[in-house]
């Protein structure tokens, strides 16, 4: 079946612009996660959704970052007033539910470059 | 808080040789442990996971890992490396209660030479 998809695959933006990154989880997966992978910081957790609510936003690095999930499916990560340090690969993952024994399936990521 | 340490940012082996990638964890409660593989320009794929059942866990592509509580380790092994194993490997830990984020190690890049 279809895996986790993310769009766009690559995004180049100018410093100060807003960007939206999209994640389509595997159908039926109720849990959705955003991670960021950067050279300096490795793989970092950003936010977790269970259904449409976000019980854990502790990884969002600043108030310029926000995310929402609608209909228990698609999620959008928005970065406002982008900075060069936001350049990274943003990975989305989904799992059947929020139990830690359930595998998180990762999408291919969105590579964000802020110039 | 949980954390994992992966020893060696790069590991080089010859095709057919043993692969050993090291991971040590720190957790105040019994952990769940995972190994993920990432091929170039792709997302992460789960190789195997330890969730407090058998301590020797077998995964895909001939990989296995052994949970050793006394050594707080979860090293990844494969008896015979294949060229297609060249990738980056991440160890990750989470708690076994409720939801906790995956905490990843810094990754080990496996290089396989002919």
């Amino acid at each position: 079946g279809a895996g986790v998809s993310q769009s766009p695959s690559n995004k180049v933006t100018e410093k100060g612009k807003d960007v939206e990154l999209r994640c389509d989880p595997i159908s039926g997966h109720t849990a959705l996660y955003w991670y960021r992978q950067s050279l300096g910081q490795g793989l970092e957790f950003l936010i977790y959704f269970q259904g449409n609510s976000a019980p854990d936003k502790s990884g969002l690095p600043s108030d310029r970052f926000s995310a929402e999930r609608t209909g228990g499916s698609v999620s959008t990560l928005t970065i406002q007033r982008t900075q060069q340090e936001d350049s990274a690969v943003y990975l989305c993952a989904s799992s059947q539910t929020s139990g830690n024994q359930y595998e998180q399936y990762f999408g291919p990521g969105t590579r964000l470059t802020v110039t | 808080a949980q954390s994992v340490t992966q020893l060696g940012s790069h590991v080089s082996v010859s095709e057919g040789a043993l692969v050993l990638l090291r991971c040590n964890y720190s957790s105040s409660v019994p952990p769940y442990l995972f190994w993920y593989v990432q091929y170039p320009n792709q997302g992460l794929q789960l190789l195997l996971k330890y969730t407090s059942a058998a301590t020797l866990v077998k995964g895909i592509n001939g990989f296995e890992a052994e949970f050793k509580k006394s050594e707080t380790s979860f090293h990844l092994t494969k008896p015979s490396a294949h060229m297609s194993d060249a990738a980056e490997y991440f160890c990750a830990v989470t708690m076994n209660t409720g939801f906790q984020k995956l905490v990843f190690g810094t990754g080990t890049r496996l290089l396989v030479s002919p």
Side-chain angles (χ1 to χ4, degrees), chain A residues 33 35 37 43 45 48 56 58 91 98-109 111, chain B residues 32 34 36 38 41-44 46 49 51 90 94-102 104:
Chain A
Y33 317 80
Y35 293 86
Q37 185 174 24
L43 268 160
F45 165 81
Y48 151 65
D56 189 345
S58 63
L91 294 167
S98 60
N100 290 337
Q101 69 272 33
Y102 294 102
E103 176 180 352
Q104 293 185 27
Y105 293 83
F106 283 80
R111 182 176 298 277
Chain B
Y32 286 170
F34 306 79
Y36 281 85
Q38 186 176 35
N41 299 316
Q42 293 187 28
L44 299 168
L46 182 69
K49 62 183 179 183
T51 56
F90 293 92
T94 187
M95 290 171 60
N96 67 358
T97 56
F99 165 74
Q100 293 289 333
K101 60 196 176 192
L102 280 174
F104 288 90

Side-chain angles (χ1 to χ4, degrees), chain A residues 9-104:
Chain A
S9 55
N10 281 283
K11 177 71 176 179
V12 180
T13 190
E14 293 179 354
K15 177 181 173 182
K17 300 283 190 181
D18 297 352
V19 295
E20 285 189 352
L21 311 180
R22 177 187 168 105
C23 172
D24 279 274
I26 293 172
S27 178
H29 281 192
T30 61
L32 186 147
Y33 317 80
W34 284 97
Y35 293 86
R36 179 168 73 171
Q37 185 174 24
S38 59
L39 282 177
Q41 302 298 323
L43 268 160
E44 306 171 279
F45 165 81
L46 296 178
I47 187 170
Y48 151 65
F49 287 92
Q50 177 60 38
N52 292 336
S53 63
D56 189 345
K57 307 178 184 180
S58 63
L60 294 178
S62 76
D63 58 9
R64 296 186 296 105
F65 287 73
S66 63
E68 65 175 11
R69 189 178 185 195
T70 55
S73 182
V74 172
S75 176
T76 303
L77 177 69
T78 301
I79 309 173
Q80 295 179 310
R81 305 180 304 281
T82 52
Q83 303 294 313
Q84 288 187 329
E85 61 262 29
D86 300 334
S87 295
V89 177
Y90 289 83
L91 294 167
C92 176
S94 70
S95 67
Q96 282 181 287
T97 183
S98 60
N100 290 337
Q101 69 272 33
Y102 294 102
E103 176 180 352
Q104 293 185 27

Side-chain angles (χ1 to χ4, degrees), chain B residues 2-81:
Chain B
Q2 316 93 53
S3 65
V4 289
T5 301
Q6 292 184 242
L7 295 177
S9 58
H10 291 79
V11 169
S12 295
V13 299
S14 299
E15 193 172 21
L18 171 72
V19 175
L20 171 60
L21 305 182
R22 299 178 187 274
C23 173
N24 287 87
Y25 70 91
S26 172
S27 178
S28 56
V29 296
Y32 286 170
L33 292 157
F34 306 79
W35 275 100
Y36 281 85
V37 62
Q38 186 176 35
Y39 298 101
N41 299 316
Q42 293 187 28
L44 299 168
Q45 180 183 11
L46 182 69
L47 278 177
L48 48 80
K49 62 183 179 183
Y50 167 76
T51 56
S52 73
T55 57
L56 181 62
V57 181
K58 294 187 183 297
I60 62 171
N61 301 339
F63 284 93
E64 63 181 37
E66 186 172 7
F67 174 73
K68 292 188 177 180
K69 185 177 179 180
S70 61
E71 299 177 7
T72 62
S73 69
F74 190 59
H75 301 331
L76 182 71
T77 60
K78 182 174 180 177
S80 177

